[in-house]
Amino acid sequence: MPGSLSPADSPGPLGASRAPTAGRAAVTASAGTDRAADAAAPPAGGPRTAPVRSARSARAGAWAELLRLPALFTVPGDALAGAAAAGTRPGRRTLLAIGSSLCLYEAGMALNDWADRAEDAVERPHRPIPSGRIRPAAALTAACGLTGAGLALAAAAGRPALTVAAPLAASVWAYDLALKHTPAGPAAMAAARGLDLLLGAAATSGGTRTALPSAALLGSHTLAVTAVSRKETTGGSVLAPLGALATTGVLTRLAARRGTRLPAGRRAAAAPGLPGPIRDTGGRGSADALATALGAAYAATAARPYFHAALNPSPPLTQRAVGGGIRATIPLQATLAARAGAPATALLIAALAPAGRLFAKRAAMRKVSIT
C-alpha cells in the first residue's frame, strides 16, 4: 500500500522523455532564424497563454510525480481479488472499495514525501517537495483530504468495509510517520496491502474470513518487496533480494493452487442487495490452467530483477528490483482471483498491467517513477 516503496526515482521501465517540439524551434531561433522567432512569439499585447499552459503542465507533472500515478494500476486488483476470494462477483460496492483503496494509496504517497522531506533534501533533491515544486503544507493537506475521501467511500460501501478501511488508513499513517525506518516497517506495509484485499471482500460480501489466505499471500509479497526497497538508495544488500527471490518461488507455488471455496449453501445465501455468488460451471480445469499461467507471469516479472540485484546489489539494480516487485503485484492479484474460481475477474485484473504500461508511456508520465 501507499508509501511503502517510496522515495527512489529510477527511470526503470518508464523510459526517457522525448525532447518537445518547442525545443527544436528554440534552437532554430537561437541560431538566428528571425522568421522562426517571429512565428513563435505571441501577438503584441495578446495573452501569453503558452507560459500559463507551461506552468500548469509543470505543476500537474509535479503532482503526478508526488503521487506516483503509474503505480495506481496496482491498486484495483486488491479489491477485485478480495471479491473473488469471498466467492462473489464484483459489484457497486466493489467499485466503492476500489475508490477507497485508490484514495488511501495516494494519501500514503503524499504523506510519505511529506514525512521524508528532510531526508529527500539530501538524498533526492529532485523530488517535488525538496525541489520547491510542491509546498509541504499542500502535500500534507492532500494526504489528509485523500484519507478522508477513502474512509467516506468505504463507509458508503457498508459498515464491514469501513471496519477494514479504518485500520488500513491507520496502518498507512503509522508506517509513513513512525514505522518506516524501524524493523516493523515491512510488516506494517504487508499488513496494509493485505487489509486492502480484505477491504474488497468486506465491501462485496460483508465478510473477510474466506479472503484471509489470499490476503496473507499478497501481504507476503509486499513484505519481500518492501524489505528490498529499504536499500534502494544505498544498495549493498544481498540477503534482501535473495529472500525476495525465494519468497517469489514459494508464492508462485501456493498462489496457483486451488483455493478454498465456500460451501454451496453459503455461496447461495447472498445477502440482499449484494452481487450474486460465483457459480461453479464446470470450468475448474480452465481456471486452474489460467492460475498456473498467471503464476508463471508473476514469477517471470519479479524473479529476474531480484536475481540481478542479488548478483550486484547496486542502487540502480536494487531500484529496478523494487520496480519489478511492484509490477509483479498485478499478475499475483490475477493469480489469486483465478485460484478462487473467478477467471473473468482474473483476466480483468491482468489487463491492468498493459494498461498501466501504456499510461506510463504517455509523454506526461515518462519522468514519473513507480517507486
Side-chain angles (χ1 to χ4, degrees), residues 1-9 62-75 101-117 120 127-129 134 138-140 142-144 146-147 172-173 175-176 180 189 193 322 326 368-371:
M1 274 301 291
S4 64
L5 311 174
S6 55
D9 291 294
W63 279 100
E65 187 177 346
L66 180 81
L67 299 175
R68 283 48 156 217
L69 290 188
L72 279 180
F73 288 85
T74 68
V75 178
S101 296
L102 291 171
C103 288
L104 294 177
Y105 187 93
E106 292 293 47
M109 290 297 183
L111 184 64
N112 173 81
D113 279 22
W114 179 83
D116 284 352
R117 61 193 185 280
D120 286 348
R127 294 291 302 150
I129 293 178
I134 293 179
L140 181 60
C144 294
L146 287 165
T147 300
V172 169
W173 280 73
Y175 175 85
D176 282 334
K180 182 188 307 179
M189 193 43 51
R193 183 65 87 161
V322 174
I326 295 173
V368 181
S369 173
I370 64 174
T371 61

Short mmCIF file of all heavy atoms in Angstrom, two decimals, residues 1-9 62-75 101-117 120 127-129 134 138-140 142-144 146-147 172-173 175-176 180 189 193 322 326 368-371:
data_model
loop_
_atom_site.label_atom_id
_atom_site.label_comp_id
_atom_site.label_asym_id
_atom_site.label_seq_id
_atom_site.Cartn_x
_atom_site.Cartn_y
_atom_site.Cartn_z
N MET A 1 0.84 -1.19 0.00
CA MET A 1 0.00 0.00 0.00
C MET A 1 0.88 1.25 0.00
O MET A 1 2.08 1.17 -0.03
CB MET A 1 -0.92 -0.02 1.22
CG MET A 1 -2.21 -0.81 0.99
SD MET A 1 -3.19 -0.18 -0.35
CE MET A 1 -3.74 1.36 0.30
N PRO A 2 0.24 2.38 0.13
CA PRO A 2 0.88 3.65 -0.15
C PRO A 2 2.12 3.89 0.67
O PRO A 2 2.17 3.64 1.83
CB PRO A 2 -0.19 4.67 0.22
CG PRO A 2 -1.43 3.92 0.42
CD PRO A 2 -1.10 2.48 0.55
N GLY A 3 3.09 4.50 0.04
CA GLY A 3 4.26 4.96 0.74
C GLY A 3 5.29 3.92 1.00
O GLY A 3 6.38 4.22 1.42
N SER A 4 5.01 2.63 0.76
CA SER A 4 5.93 1.59 1.17
C SER A 4 7.20 1.62 0.38
O SER A 4 8.27 1.42 0.92
CB SER A 4 5.26 0.22 1.03
OG SER A 4 4.97 -0.05 -0.30
N LEU A 5 7.09 1.82 -0.92
CA LEU A 5 8.25 1.66 -1.76
C LEU A 5 8.70 3.01 -2.26
O LEU A 5 9.04 3.18 -3.41
CB LEU A 5 7.91 0.73 -2.91
CG LEU A 5 7.22 -0.53 -2.42
CD1 LEU A 5 6.75 -1.37 -3.57
CD2 LEU A 5 8.14 -1.32 -1.54
N SER A 6 8.61 3.96 -1.43
CA SER A 6 8.72 5.32 -1.82
C SER A 6 10.06 5.84 -2.17
O SER A 6 10.73 5.48 -2.88
CB SER A 6 8.16 6.19 -0.73
OG SER A 6 8.80 5.89 0.44
N PRO A 7 10.89 6.43 -1.81
CA PRO A 7 11.42 7.61 -2.40
C PRO A 7 12.25 7.49 -3.65
O PRO A 7 12.54 8.49 -4.22
CB PRO A 7 12.24 8.22 -1.29
CG PRO A 7 11.97 7.39 -0.09
CD PRO A 7 11.40 6.11 -0.57
N ALA A 8 12.78 6.33 -4.04
CA ALA A 8 13.71 6.30 -5.16
C ALA A 8 13.03 6.62 -6.46
O ALA A 8 11.87 6.40 -6.62
CB ALA A 8 14.38 4.95 -5.25
N ASP A 9 13.80 7.11 -7.43
CA ASP A 9 13.22 7.53 -8.69
C ASP A 9 14.01 7.00 -9.87
O ASP A 9 14.39 7.74 -10.76
CB ASP A 9 13.19 9.06 -8.76
CG ASP A 9 12.21 9.64 -7.79
OD1 ASP A 9 11.02 9.40 -7.96
OD2 ASP A 9 12.64 10.32 -6.86
N ALA A 62 4.40 17.75 -11.40
CA ALA A 62 4.93 17.61 -10.05
C ALA A 62 4.00 16.77 -9.18
O ALA A 62 4.45 15.91 -8.41
CB ALA A 62 5.14 18.99 -9.43
N TRP A 63 2.69 16.99 -9.30
CA TRP A 63 1.74 16.20 -8.53
C TRP A 63 1.71 14.75 -9.00
O TRP A 63 1.58 13.83 -8.19
CB TRP A 63 0.35 16.82 -8.60
CG TRP A 63 0.18 17.95 -7.65
CD1 TRP A 63 0.25 19.29 -7.93
CD2 TRP A 63 -0.03 17.87 -6.24
NE1 TRP A 63 0.08 20.04 -6.79
CE2 TRP A 63 -0.10 19.19 -5.73
CE3 TRP A 63 -0.18 16.80 -5.35
CZ2 TRP A 63 -0.31 19.47 -4.39
CZ3 TRP A 63 -0.39 17.08 -4.00
CH2 TRP A 63 -0.45 18.39 -3.53
N ALA A 64 1.84 14.55 -10.31
CA ALA A 64 1.89 13.17 -10.82
C ALA A 64 3.10 12.44 -10.28
O ALA A 64 3.05 11.25 -9.96
CB ALA A 64 1.91 13.18 -12.35
N GLU A 65 4.22 13.17 -10.15
CA GLU A 65 5.44 12.57 -9.59
C GLU A 65 5.28 12.29 -8.11
O GLU A 65 5.70 11.24 -7.61
CB GLU A 65 6.61 13.51 -9.83
CG GLU A 65 7.96 12.95 -9.45
CD GLU A 65 9.10 13.89 -9.76
OE1 GLU A 65 8.87 14.86 -10.51
OE2 GLU A 65 10.21 13.65 -9.25
N LEU A 66 4.66 13.22 -7.38
CA LEU A 66 4.46 13.03 -5.95
C LEU A 66 3.56 11.83 -5.68
O LEU A 66 3.83 11.03 -4.77
CB LEU A 66 3.83 14.29 -5.34
CG LEU A 66 3.56 14.23 -3.84
CD1 LEU A 66 4.82 14.53 -3.06
CD2 LEU A 66 2.45 15.21 -3.45
N LEU A 67 2.50 11.69 -6.47
CA LEU A 67 1.50 10.64 -6.23
C LEU A 67 1.83 9.33 -6.94
O LEU A 67 1.10 8.35 -6.78
CB LEU A 67 0.12 11.14 -6.67
CG LEU A 67 -0.39 12.38 -5.92
CD1 LEU A 67 -1.72 12.84 -6.52
CD2 LEU A 67 -0.55 12.09 -4.43
N ARG A 68 2.91 9.31 -7.74
CA ARG A 68 3.30 8.10 -8.48
C ARG A 68 2.11 7.52 -9.25
O ARG A 68 1.70 6.37 -9.05
CB ARG A 68 3.81 7.03 -7.54
CG ARG A 68 5.20 7.10 -6.96
CD ARG A 68 5.67 8.35 -6.37
NE ARG A 68 6.74 8.09 -5.38
CZ ARG A 68 6.85 8.79 -4.26
NH1 ARG A 68 5.98 9.74 -3.97
NH2 ARG A 68 7.84 8.54 -3.43
N LEU A 69 1.53 8.30 -10.13
CA LEU A 69 0.30 7.90 -10.81
C LEU A 69 0.40 6.55 -11.53
O LEU A 69 -0.56 5.78 -11.53
CB LEU A 69 -0.14 9.00 -11.78
CG LEU A 69 -0.67 10.29 -11.14
CD1 LEU A 69 -1.24 11.21 -12.21
CD2 LEU A 69 -1.71 9.99 -10.07
N PRO A 70 1.52 6.22 -12.21
CA PRO A 70 1.56 4.91 -12.87
C PRO A 70 1.38 3.73 -11.92
O PRO A 70 0.91 2.67 -12.33
CB PRO A 70 2.96 4.90 -13.52
CG PRO A 70 3.30 6.33 -13.74
CD PRO A 70 2.71 7.05 -12.55
N ALA A 71 1.74 3.91 -10.65
CA ALA A 71 1.59 2.81 -9.68
C ALA A 71 0.14 2.57 -9.30
O ALA A 71 -0.17 1.55 -8.68
CB ALA A 71 2.43 3.11 -8.43
N LEU A 72 -0.76 3.48 -9.65
CA LEU A 72 -2.16 3.30 -9.30
C LEU A 72 -2.77 2.04 -9.91
O LEU A 72 -3.74 1.50 -9.39
CB LEU A 72 -2.98 4.52 -9.75
CG LEU A 72 -2.95 5.75 -8.84
CD1 LEU A 72 -3.82 6.85 -9.44
CD2 LEU A 72 -3.44 5.40 -7.45
N PHE A 73 -2.21 1.58 -11.02
CA PHE A 73 -2.77 0.41 -11.68
C PHE A 73 -2.57 -0.86 -10.87
O PHE A 73 -3.18 -1.88 -11.17
CB PHE A 73 -2.16 0.26 -13.08
CG PHE A 73 -2.65 1.28 -14.05
CD1 PHE A 73 -2.05 2.53 -14.13
CD2 PHE A 73 -3.72 1.01 -14.89
CE1 PHE A 73 -2.50 3.49 -15.03
CE2 PHE A 73 -4.18 1.96 -15.79
CZ PHE A 73 -3.58 3.20 -15.85
N THR A 74 -1.72 -0.81 -9.84
CA THR A 74 -1.54 -1.98 -8.98
C THR A 74 -2.58 -2.05 -7.87
O THR A 74 -2.61 -3.02 -7.12
CB THR A 74 -0.14 -1.97 -8.32
OG1 THR A 74 -0.06 -0.89 -7.37
CG2 THR A 74 0.96 -1.80 -9.36
N VAL A 75 -3.45 -1.05 -7.76
CA VAL A 75 -4.36 -0.97 -6.62
C VAL A 75 -5.70 -1.67 -6.85
O VAL A 75 -6.16 -2.41 -5.97
CB VAL A 75 -4.58 0.51 -6.22
CG1 VAL A 75 -5.56 0.62 -5.06
CG2 VAL A 75 -3.25 1.15 -5.84
N SER A 101 -9.62 2.40 -1.86
CA SER A 101 -8.22 1.95 -1.92
C SER A 101 -7.35 2.96 -2.65
O SER A 101 -6.23 3.27 -2.22
CB SER A 101 -8.14 0.59 -2.62
OG SER A 101 -8.82 -0.40 -1.89
N LEU A 102 -7.85 3.48 -3.78
CA LEU A 102 -7.07 4.45 -4.55
C LEU A 102 -6.80 5.70 -3.73
O LEU A 102 -5.68 6.23 -3.74
CB LEU A 102 -7.82 4.80 -5.84
CG LEU A 102 -7.93 3.69 -6.89
CD1 LEU A 102 -8.88 4.11 -8.02
CD2 LEU A 102 -6.55 3.36 -7.47
N CYS A 103 -7.80 6.18 -3.02
CA CYS A 103 -7.62 7.39 -2.21
C CYS A 103 -6.61 7.15 -1.08
O CYS A 103 -5.72 7.98 -0.84
CB CYS A 103 -8.96 7.83 -1.63
SG CYS A 103 -10.11 8.54 -2.84
N LEU A 104 -6.74 6.02 -0.40
CA LEU A 104 -5.82 5.74 0.71
C LEU A 104 -4.40 5.50 0.21
O LEU A 104 -3.42 5.89 0.86
CB LEU A 104 -6.31 4.53 1.50
CG LEU A 104 -7.64 4.73 2.24
CD1 LEU A 104 -8.07 3.44 2.93
CD2 LEU A 104 -7.52 5.87 3.26
N TYR A 105 -4.27 4.89 -0.97
CA TYR A 105 -2.95 4.67 -1.56
C TYR A 105 -2.28 6.01 -1.86
O TYR A 105 -1.11 6.24 -1.51
CB TYR A 105 -3.11 3.85 -2.83
CG TYR A 105 -1.81 3.41 -3.46
CD1 TYR A 105 -1.25 2.18 -3.16
CD2 TYR A 105 -1.15 4.21 -4.38
CE1 TYR A 105 -0.06 1.76 -3.74
CE2 TYR A 105 0.04 3.81 -4.97
CZ TYR A 105 0.58 2.58 -4.65
OH TYR A 105 1.76 2.19 -5.21
N GLU A 106 -3.03 6.91 -2.49
CA GLU A 106 -2.45 8.20 -2.84
C GLU A 106 -2.21 9.05 -1.60
O GLU A 106 -1.27 9.85 -1.57
CB GLU A 106 -3.38 8.94 -3.81
CG GLU A 106 -3.48 8.30 -5.18
CD GLU A 106 -2.19 8.38 -5.97
OE1 GLU A 106 -1.11 8.07 -5.42
OE2 GLU A 106 -2.26 8.75 -7.15
N ALA A 107 -3.05 8.89 -0.58
CA ALA A 107 -2.78 9.59 0.68
C ALA A 107 -1.43 9.16 1.24
O ALA A 107 -0.65 10.00 1.72
CB ALA A 107 -3.90 9.28 1.68
N GLY A 108 -1.15 7.87 1.17
CA GLY A 108 0.13 7.37 1.65
C GLY A 108 1.30 7.90 0.85
O GLY A 108 2.37 8.19 1.40
N MET A 109 1.13 8.04 -0.46
CA MET A 109 2.20 8.58 -1.30
C MET A 109 2.52 10.03 -0.92
O MET A 109 3.69 10.41 -0.78
CB MET A 109 1.80 8.50 -2.78
CG MET A 109 1.75 7.10 -3.34
SD MET A 109 3.38 6.32 -3.30
CE MET A 109 3.00 4.75 -4.08
N ALA A 110 1.47 10.85 -0.79
CA ALA A 110 1.69 12.25 -0.43
C ALA A 110 2.28 12.37 0.97
O ALA A 110 3.22 13.16 1.21
CB ALA A 110 0.37 13.01 -0.52
N LEU A 111 1.76 11.57 1.90
CA LEU A 111 2.27 11.62 3.27
C LEU A 111 3.71 11.14 3.35
O LEU A 111 4.52 11.66 4.13
CB LEU A 111 1.37 10.77 4.18
CG LEU A 111 1.71 10.79 5.67
CD1 LEU A 111 1.51 12.18 6.24
CD2 LEU A 111 0.86 9.77 6.42
N ASN A 112 4.05 10.15 2.53
CA ASN A 112 5.40 9.62 2.51
C ASN A 112 6.42 10.71 2.18
O ASN A 112 7.43 10.87 2.86
CB ASN A 112 5.49 8.49 1.48
CG ASN A 112 6.91 8.00 1.27
OD1 ASN A 112 7.42 7.23 2.04
ND2 ASN A 112 7.55 8.48 0.20
N ASP A 113 6.14 11.47 1.12
CA ASP A 113 7.09 12.51 0.73
C ASP A 113 7.09 13.67 1.71
O ASP A 113 8.12 14.33 1.89
CB ASP A 113 6.76 13.01 -0.68
CG ASP A 113 7.32 12.07 -1.74
OD1 ASP A 113 7.57 10.90 -1.43
OD2 ASP A 113 7.51 12.51 -2.90
N TRP A 114 5.94 13.94 2.35
CA TRP A 114 5.93 14.99 3.37
C TRP A 114 6.80 14.57 4.56
O TRP A 114 7.59 15.36 5.07
CB TRP A 114 4.49 15.24 3.83
CG TRP A 114 4.41 16.29 4.90
CD1 TRP A 114 4.37 17.65 4.74
CD2 TRP A 114 4.37 16.06 6.32
NE1 TRP A 114 4.31 18.28 5.96
CE2 TRP A 114 4.31 17.33 6.95
CE3 TRP A 114 4.38 14.90 7.11
CZ2 TRP A 114 4.25 17.46 8.33
CZ3 TRP A 114 4.33 15.04 8.49
CH2 TRP A 114 4.27 16.31 9.08
N ALA A 115 6.66 13.33 4.99
CA ALA A 115 7.43 12.85 6.13
C ALA A 115 8.91 12.76 5.82
O ALA A 115 9.75 12.94 6.72
CB ALA A 115 6.90 11.49 6.58
N ASP A 116 9.26 12.50 4.56
CA ASP A 116 10.66 12.31 4.16
C ASP A 116 11.29 13.57 3.58
O ASP A 116 12.36 13.49 2.97
CB ASP A 116 10.76 11.18 3.14
CG ASP A 116 10.64 9.81 3.78
OD1 ASP A 116 10.64 9.73 5.02
OD2 ASP A 116 10.54 8.82 3.03
N ARG A 117 10.66 14.71 3.73
CA ARG A 117 11.12 15.91 3.03
C ARG A 117 12.54 16.30 3.44
O ARG A 117 13.33 16.76 2.59
CB ARG A 117 10.15 17.07 3.24
CG ARG A 117 9.97 17.51 4.68
CD ARG A 117 8.76 18.46 4.81
NE ARG A 117 8.62 19.01 6.15
CZ ARG A 117 8.08 18.37 7.16
NH1 ARG A 117 7.65 17.12 7.01
NH2 ARG A 117 7.97 18.96 8.35
N ASP A 120 14.86 13.65 1.85
CA ASP A 120 14.89 13.83 0.40
C ASP A 120 15.70 15.05 -0.01
O ASP A 120 16.29 15.08 -1.10
CB ASP A 120 13.47 13.96 -0.16
CG ASP A 120 12.73 12.62 -0.16
OD1 ASP A 120 13.39 11.60 0.06
OD2 ASP A 120 11.50 12.63 -0.37
N ARG A 127 13.07 15.56 -5.96
CA ARG A 127 11.69 15.23 -5.66
C ARG A 127 10.84 16.50 -5.56
O ARG A 127 11.38 17.59 -5.34
CB ARG A 127 11.60 14.44 -4.35
CG ARG A 127 12.24 13.07 -4.38
CD ARG A 127 11.47 12.10 -5.25
NE ARG A 127 10.09 11.99 -4.78
CZ ARG A 127 9.07 11.73 -5.57
NH1 ARG A 127 9.27 11.55 -6.86
NH2 ARG A 127 7.86 11.63 -5.10
N PRO A 128 9.54 16.40 -5.75
CA PRO A 128 8.70 17.61 -5.84
C PRO A 128 8.78 18.54 -4.63
O PRO A 128 8.80 19.76 -4.79
CB PRO A 128 7.29 17.03 -6.00
CG PRO A 128 7.48 15.72 -6.66
CD PRO A 128 8.76 15.19 -6.07
N ILE A 129 8.84 17.99 -3.40
CA ILE A 129 8.85 18.86 -2.22
C ILE A 129 10.21 19.53 -2.02
O ILE A 129 10.28 20.76 -1.93
CB ILE A 129 8.40 18.10 -0.96
CG1 ILE A 129 6.92 17.71 -1.09
CG2 ILE A 129 8.62 18.94 0.28
CD1 ILE A 129 6.38 16.92 0.09
N ILE A 134 6.30 21.60 -5.02
CA ILE A 134 5.10 21.41 -4.21
C ILE A 134 5.44 21.79 -2.78
O ILE A 134 6.46 21.36 -2.23
CB ILE A 134 4.60 19.95 -4.28
CG1 ILE A 134 4.09 19.62 -5.68
CG2 ILE A 134 3.49 19.72 -3.25
CD1 ILE A 134 3.60 18.20 -5.83
N ALA A 138 0.92 21.72 1.23
CA ALA A 138 -0.01 21.22 0.21
C ALA A 138 -0.01 19.70 0.18
O ALA A 138 -1.07 19.07 0.03
CB ALA A 138 0.37 21.79 -1.15
N ALA A 139 1.16 19.09 0.33
CA ALA A 139 1.24 17.63 0.33
C ALA A 139 0.53 17.05 1.55
O ALA A 139 -0.20 16.05 1.44
CB ALA A 139 2.70 17.18 0.30
N LEU A 140 0.71 17.67 2.71
CA LEU A 140 0.05 17.18 3.92
C LEU A 140 -1.47 17.36 3.82
O LEU A 140 -2.23 16.47 4.23
CB LEU A 140 0.59 17.91 5.14
CG LEU A 140 0.01 17.49 6.50
CD1 LEU A 140 0.27 16.01 6.76
CD2 LEU A 140 0.59 18.35 7.62
N ALA A 142 -3.19 17.35 1.07
CA ALA A 142 -3.66 16.33 0.14
C ALA A 142 -3.78 14.98 0.83
O ALA A 142 -4.74 14.23 0.61
CB ALA A 142 -2.72 16.24 -1.06
N ALA A 143 -2.79 14.64 1.68
CA ALA A 143 -2.84 13.36 2.39
C ALA A 143 -4.05 13.29 3.30
O ALA A 143 -4.74 12.26 3.36
CB ALA A 143 -1.55 13.16 3.18
N CYS A 144 -4.33 14.37 4.00
CA CYS A 144 -5.50 14.39 4.90
C CYS A 144 -6.80 14.28 4.11
O CYS A 144 -7.71 13.51 4.48
CB CYS A 144 -5.49 15.65 5.74
SG CYS A 144 -4.12 15.79 6.91
N LEU A 146 -7.32 13.06 1.07
CA LEU A 146 -7.46 11.75 0.43
C LEU A 146 -7.81 10.67 1.45
O LEU A 146 -8.58 9.75 1.14
CB LEU A 146 -6.17 11.39 -0.31
CG LEU A 146 -5.92 12.17 -1.61
CD1 LEU A 146 -4.47 12.01 -2.06
CD2 LEU A 146 -6.87 11.70 -2.70
N THR A 147 -7.27 10.78 2.65
CA THR A 147 -7.63 9.82 3.69
C THR A 147 -9.11 9.94 4.04
O THR A 147 -9.82 8.93 4.16
CB THR A 147 -6.78 10.05 4.94
OG1 THR A 147 -5.39 9.88 4.62
CG2 THR A 147 -7.14 9.06 6.04
N VAL A 172 -1.39 2.96 7.21
CA VAL A 172 -0.70 3.83 6.25
C VAL A 172 -0.02 5.00 6.97
O VAL A 172 1.16 5.29 6.75
CB VAL A 172 -1.69 4.34 5.18
CG1 VAL A 172 -1.05 5.44 4.33
CG2 VAL A 172 -2.15 3.20 4.29
N TRP A 173 -0.77 5.66 7.84
CA TRP A 173 -0.21 6.80 8.56
C TRP A 173 0.88 6.35 9.54
O TRP A 173 1.91 7.03 9.70
CB TRP A 173 -1.32 7.55 9.28
CG TRP A 173 -2.08 8.46 8.37
CD1 TRP A 173 -2.98 8.09 7.40
CD2 TRP A 173 -2.00 9.89 8.32
NE1 TRP A 173 -3.46 9.21 6.74
CE2 TRP A 173 -2.89 10.32 7.30
CE3 TRP A 173 -1.30 10.85 9.04
CZ2 TRP A 173 -3.05 11.67 6.99
CZ3 TRP A 173 -1.47 12.19 8.73
CH2 TRP A 173 -2.33 12.59 7.71
N TYR A 175 2.84 3.79 9.25
CA TYR A 175 4.05 3.44 8.50
C TYR A 175 4.83 4.68 8.11
O TYR A 175 6.04 4.78 8.33
CB TYR A 175 3.68 2.64 7.26
CG TYR A 175 4.87 2.34 6.37
CD1 TYR A 175 5.68 1.24 6.61
CD2 TYR A 175 5.18 3.17 5.30
CE1 TYR A 175 6.79 0.99 5.81
CE2 TYR A 175 6.28 2.92 4.50
CZ TYR A 175 7.09 1.83 4.76
OH TYR A 175 8.18 1.59 3.97
N ASP A 176 4.14 5.64 7.48
CA ASP A 176 4.84 6.82 6.97
C ASP A 176 5.42 7.69 8.07
O ASP A 176 6.49 8.28 7.90
CB ASP A 176 3.88 7.66 6.11
CG ASP A 176 3.67 7.06 4.72
OD1 ASP A 176 4.57 6.34 4.26
OD2 ASP A 176 2.61 7.31 4.13
N LYS A 180 8.36 3.39 9.27
CA LYS A 180 9.08 3.15 8.01
C LYS A 180 10.54 2.75 8.23
O LYS A 180 11.04 1.83 7.58
CB LYS A 180 9.01 4.39 7.14
CG LYS A 180 9.68 4.24 5.78
CD LYS A 180 9.73 5.56 5.04
CE LYS A 180 8.38 6.19 4.96
NZ LYS A 180 8.42 7.48 4.26
N MET A 189 3.71 -2.52 6.21
CA MET A 189 3.28 -2.33 4.83
C MET A 189 2.62 -3.59 4.30
O MET A 189 1.65 -3.53 3.53
CB MET A 189 4.48 -1.94 3.97
CG MET A 189 4.12 -1.43 2.59
SD MET A 189 2.72 -0.28 2.53
CE MET A 189 3.20 0.92 3.77
N ARG A 193 -1.30 -3.89 2.74
CA ARG A 193 -1.72 -4.46 1.46
C ARG A 193 -2.71 -5.61 1.67
O ARG A 193 -3.67 -5.75 0.92
CB ARG A 193 -0.49 -4.94 0.67
CG ARG A 193 -0.78 -5.49 -0.71
CD ARG A 193 -1.34 -4.43 -1.66
NE ARG A 193 -0.31 -3.69 -2.35
CZ ARG A 193 -0.52 -2.99 -3.47
NH1 ARG A 193 -1.72 -2.94 -4.02
NH2 ARG A 193 0.45 -2.31 -4.03
N VAL A 322 12.97 -3.34 -7.07
CA VAL A 322 11.77 -2.83 -6.41
C VAL A 322 10.68 -2.57 -7.44
O VAL A 322 9.51 -2.93 -7.24
CB VAL A 322 12.09 -1.55 -5.62
CG1 VAL A 322 10.82 -0.92 -5.06
CG2 VAL A 322 13.08 -1.85 -4.50
N ILE A 326 6.96 -4.30 -7.67
CA ILE A 326 5.70 -3.56 -7.72
C ILE A 326 4.87 -4.01 -8.92
O ILE A 326 3.66 -4.26 -8.80
CB ILE A 326 5.97 -2.05 -7.79
CG1 ILE A 326 6.65 -1.58 -6.50
CG2 ILE A 326 4.68 -1.27 -8.01
CD1 ILE A 326 7.10 -0.13 -6.55
N VAL A 368 7.84 10.04 -14.52
CA VAL A 368 7.26 9.66 -13.23
C VAL A 368 7.61 8.23 -12.92
O VAL A 368 7.19 7.31 -13.61
CB VAL A 368 5.74 9.86 -13.24
CG1 VAL A 368 5.16 9.48 -11.88
CG2 VAL A 368 5.38 11.30 -13.58
N SER A 369 8.39 8.01 -11.86
CA SER A 369 8.76 6.66 -11.46
C SER A 369 7.61 6.02 -10.68
O SER A 369 6.80 6.71 -10.06
CB SER A 369 10.02 6.70 -10.60
OG SER A 369 10.30 5.43 -10.07
N ILE A 370 7.56 4.69 -10.69
CA ILE A 370 6.54 4.00 -9.91
C ILE A 370 7.04 3.70 -8.51
O ILE A 370 6.29 3.18 -7.69
CB ILE A 370 6.10 2.68 -10.58
CG1 ILE A 370 7.27 1.70 -10.65
CG2 ILE A 370 5.52 2.94 -11.94
CD1 ILE A 370 6.89 0.33 -11.16
N THR A 371 8.29 4.02 -8.20
CA THR A 371 8.81 3.76 -6.85
C THR A 371 9.11 5.06 -6.13
O THR A 371 9.10 6.12 -6.69
CB THR A 371 10.10 2.94 -6.93
OG1 THR A 371 11.09 3.66 -7.65
CG2 THR A 371 9.85 1.62 -7.62
#
